[in-house]
Amino acid sequence: MNLKQLAKHLNLSPTTVSRALNGYPEVGAETRRRVEEAARKVGYRPNPHAMRLATGRSHAIGHVLPSDRILMIDPHFSDFIAGAGDVYSASGFDVMLHVGGSEAEETVYKRYAQSGAVDGVVVMGPRLNDFRIALLTELELPFIVHGRVGDLEEGYAWLDIDNRGAFRQATKLLTDLGHRRIGLINGNEAMTFATHRRQGYEIALKACGLNADPAIMTSDAMTEENGYLQTKRLLLSDNKPSALLFSSMLFVSGAMRAAHELGLQIGTDVSLIAHDDGLPFLNAEGLVPSLTTVRSSIRAAGSRVAELLIEIINNPEAAQPHELWTVDLIVRGSTGPVPRT
Amino acid sequence: MNLKQLAKHLNLSPTTVSRALNGYPEVGAETRRRVEEAARKVGYRPNPHAMRLATGRSHAIGHVLPSDRILMIDPHFSDFIAGAGDVYSASGFDVMLHVGGSEAEETVYKRYAQSGAVDGVVVMGPRLNDFRIALLTELELPFIVHGRVGDLEEGYAWLDIDNRGAFRQATKLLTDLGHRRIGLINGNEAMTFATHRRQGYEIALKACGLNADPAIMTSDAMTEENGYLQTKRLLLSDNKPSALLFSSMLFVSGAMRAAHELGLQIGTDVSLIAHDDGLPFLNAEGLVPSLTTVRSSIRAAGSRVAELLIEIINNPEAAQPHELWTVDLIVRGSTGPVPRT
DNA sequence: ATAAAAATCCAAAGCGCTTTGGAAAAAACA
DNA sequence: TGTTTTTTCCAAAGCGCTTTGGATTTTTAT
């Protein structure tokens, strides 16, 4: 059943029915009631394509997976989108996902902008210097960044967690425990989040008069295997670190494997802290010993990012939101004093 | 630039231009060439909303995440969609993702069907008895199932891997090695794939005159922690199994942790085999010892499912495709003969 | 040469909605 | 009471594309 039919059925014009349903003022209260009731009764749903064509708005949000991630669609992404999805469907937005393929990422955004296929996009996994900000600004396609682009804070909307603060805090916990040699197993530092984490780590070290040692710092794809390999390498090196900091729980799986293999007791022989995005399949608390983490739910971030983007779309004139979430340090069993040699 | 403008620019009617671009025969060869060239030069792209409204086809595929998975958007999903995404974008299809929210899953499908928001959907994570098959059939919304619905093989399109065969083979490898007590750490057996795996396991046991023992069989969410807990429980039980079979690599992470904790050597004290979906962040070969697996790339399945669905959409009269993929057994270091007690 | 068939192109009518610019009726004002 | 304002509704014109049903021209058949 379409608008015209519904209108005829009500002895009204399509105009009036459309207005009644969309909350326009120029329609009588009683008439509106009648229309709404009838619409509900017959289960009328406006054809989205027609609506989109007429209004130019799509009621859809685009998520374009960065091409440098398509070979490694990491599980962090799916949890983020799970959070966002809740909000989208509650607000009647569809989500349009673009992943991989031969089409250049840039082209996808251009197509989105030109065709009005989406009302806005969320930029995931921003790099230190990300071409997407300039591109989307020029295209005038509303967007929000999950994370930040290097240290750029103005000129675009973003929601980020305080990665620097988190790793500063985590590192400080370790130095407070007496650790002086702390390894960092980081994600790819072309990504802002990873660089921020390294910076937080360095700041805390400096606060103790320590210098970061590149020999015990790595920057790699966040996989179990890399966690294993790097941990093993570091723990077997001369002048090995007494504590390790990880950018992802995925690393930790491998790290524990390495520690066990080397016969090292976690929390006594070597201390471990990881950033925990709250991935549901990898529970830091369930590890033995339970893992000390800096924790921030990536899923909650997804929800909030979606909310903010919808606000931006509905009110483009408002100030661009900037949200920096603090990260909780949760001290558990994987951290302890430096072992005496 | 829209159709009308392009047409005027070419001194042609919109009709002809549209036909030239869409490959209709009633347009001269030279004219078509001119049109195509001009379209390319000015970067003309038909407005998708207008196209959709006019044709009733959306050129979009829907992926609706089952509501029983939204709390646990597992990483298997993101790899599947990564594979599918390649194909979609190569074929000019958009993907519409629906995850969670308050709207009932059924309503989403109805909305899709009634509004033509998508041309087809892929059904992920089918259960033994899945309401979606009847629903989508009735809605006449083209669909394909990744997996199967129990033992139902007709009446819908599907692509599945031979889970039964895989676990039969894996179990047989273990029995051939002399194992007589083999534990199964399975995913949720409400899902077809998990039930099939259990059946394969049971068939292989029966072939040796063994009966499956529920005491060493579990069916749970595929998380690291469950892998750990169940492995530990089984390996600490009286009459403990000498080998374990896992439905996911995620389990294995936890399982290795448990084995190490108990001081058991993998491949000698206890043998391990897992199903490996080829998740990029969890490499079976990189484990120590490297893991014997039954392997089938979930990403490749995603690609193929997408291809098949597009074929179905383009040619609804053709026979429904059924593809059963064999699964490779890759023997590595985590399996060995039964330890003598 | 003429008639029939084929090849090209176009005008116009949708697709189902929104929105502009009135018109008619009701209410408020003088 | 007559006039102005407000309220309530509608007709019609898009949005940008596809597609039907010709019209015109060219080719082929007779």
Side-chain angles (χ1 to χ4, degrees), chain A:
Chain A
M1 154 115 27
N2 62 21
L3 224 213
K4 209 199 291 188
Q5 292 164 5
L6 179 61
K8 190 179 311 173
H9 174 254
L10 281 163
N11 276 325
L12 287 171
S13 76
T15 309
T16 305
V17 175
S18 168
R19 284 178 159 154
L21 259 23
N22 292 324
Y24 282 73
E26 51 275 83
V27 53
E30 166 59 13
T31 310
R32 163 164 289 131
R33 207 197 49 70
R34 265 180 63 218
V35 172
E36 280 170 347
E37 186 184 316
R40 194 157 0 91
K41 215 174 62 187
V42 306
Y44 168 74
R45 288 210 172 251
N47 179 307
H49 301 320
M51 240 169 83
R52 285 164 185 178
L53 178 57
T55 61
R57 293 192 45 178
S58 65
H59 259 252
I61 306 287
H63 284 246
V64 180
L65 290 202
S67 51
D68 49 17
R69 278 204 180 177
I70 61 169
L71 281 176
M72 166 69 63
I73 300 288
D74 59 66
H76 302 91
F77 153 73
S78 45
D79 225 49
F80 179 86
I81 203 124
D86 281 352
V87 174
Y88 292 146
S89 36
S91 316
F93 275 80
D94 289 317
V95 19
M96 207 132 208
L97 185 63
H98 185 96
V99 26
S102 51
E103 191 178 9
E105 209 180 325
E106 188 174 334
T107 320
V108 178
Y109 286 118
K110 283 185 178 160
R111 190 159 51 79
Y112 279 176
Q114 185 251 347
S115 70
V118 301
D119 292 333
V121 299
V122 356
V123 170
M124 295 179 292
R127 318 186 122 241
L128 286 177
N129 194 315
D130 204 297
F131 76 98
R132 290 172 290 182
I133 275 63
L135 176 63
L136 293 170
T137 306
E138 189 195 316
L139 292 173
E140 299 185 48
L141 188 59
F143 69 100
I144 183 167
V145 177
H146 177 222
R148 269 171 297 175
V149 177
D151 282 313
L152 188 61
E153 307 209 328
E154 294 301 323
Y156 64 102
W158 52 265
L159 180 152
D160 198 0
I161 61 175
D162 184 13
N163 284 302
R164 227 173 330 223
F167 271 54
R168 196 186 42 66
Q169 251 187 296
T171 308
K172 180 169 184 307
L173 171 65
L174 292 170
T175 56
D176 285 352
L177 284 167
H179 294 273
R180 285 298 170 269
R181 195 149 172 82
I182 302 169
L184 174 67
I185 317 288
N186 207 355
N188 178 355
E189 289 181 8
M191 304 278 179
T192 302
F193 82 90
T195 288
H196 280 177
R197 289 178 187 174
R198 177 173 51 71
Q199 291 170 345
Y201 159 84
E202 289 170 342
I203 289 167
L205 288 182
K206 196 149 293 173
C208 286
L210 298 170
N211 277 321
D213 178 358
I216 54 172
M217 297 163 67
T218 71
S219 163
D220 254 322
M222 303 194 287
T223 67
E224 195 267 359
E225 190 170 8
N226 282 337
Y228 169 79
L229 293 173
Q230 298 292 9
T231 301
K232 193 165 166 185
R233 186 176 65 77
L234 291 185
L235 293 183
L236 283 177
S237 63
D238 314 335
N239 195 8
K240 69 171 187 195
S242 63
L244 295 173
L245 218 49
F246 299 89
S247 235
S248 166
M249 287 295 299
L250 296 174
F251 279 145
V252 172
S253 282
M256 294 186 70
R257 198 152 64 81
H260 284 130
E261 192 176 317
L262 300 175
L264 296 173
Q265 204 71 26
I266 291 167
T268 56
D269 297 331
V270 59
S271 286
L272 262 44
I273 305 186
H275 180 83
D276 180 9
D277 290 295
L279 301 180
F281 61 88
L282 204 44
N283 179 15
E285 201 167 356
L287 299 179
V288 178
S290 63
L291 199 74
T292 297
T293 59
V294 279
R295 188 195 149 97
S296 181
S297 161
I298 200 169
R299 181 170 179 145
S303 294
R304 183 63 181 147
V305 162
E307 281 176 15
L308 290 174
L309 180 53
I310 290 173
E311 282 172 22
I312 292 171
I313 289 168
N314 290 334
N315 187 4
E317 305 308 323
Q320 285 158 342
H322 302 324
E323 276 190 23
L324 187 64
W325 288 12
T326 59
V327 176
D328 304 321
L329 172 64
I330 303 175
V331 181
R332 296 204 187 89
S334 65
T335 40
V338 194
R340 55 195 88 226
T341 28

Side-chain angles (χ1 to χ4, degrees), chain B residues 1-14 17 34-44:
Chain B
M1 154 116 26
N2 61 23
L3 223 213
K4 209 200 288 186
Q5 292 165 5
L6 178 61
K8 189 179 310 170
H9 175 254
L10 281 163
N11 276 325
L12 287 170
S13 76
V17 176
R34 265 180 63 218
V35 172
E36 280 170 348
E37 186 184 317
R40 193 157 0 92
K41 214 174 61 188
V42 304
Y44 167 74

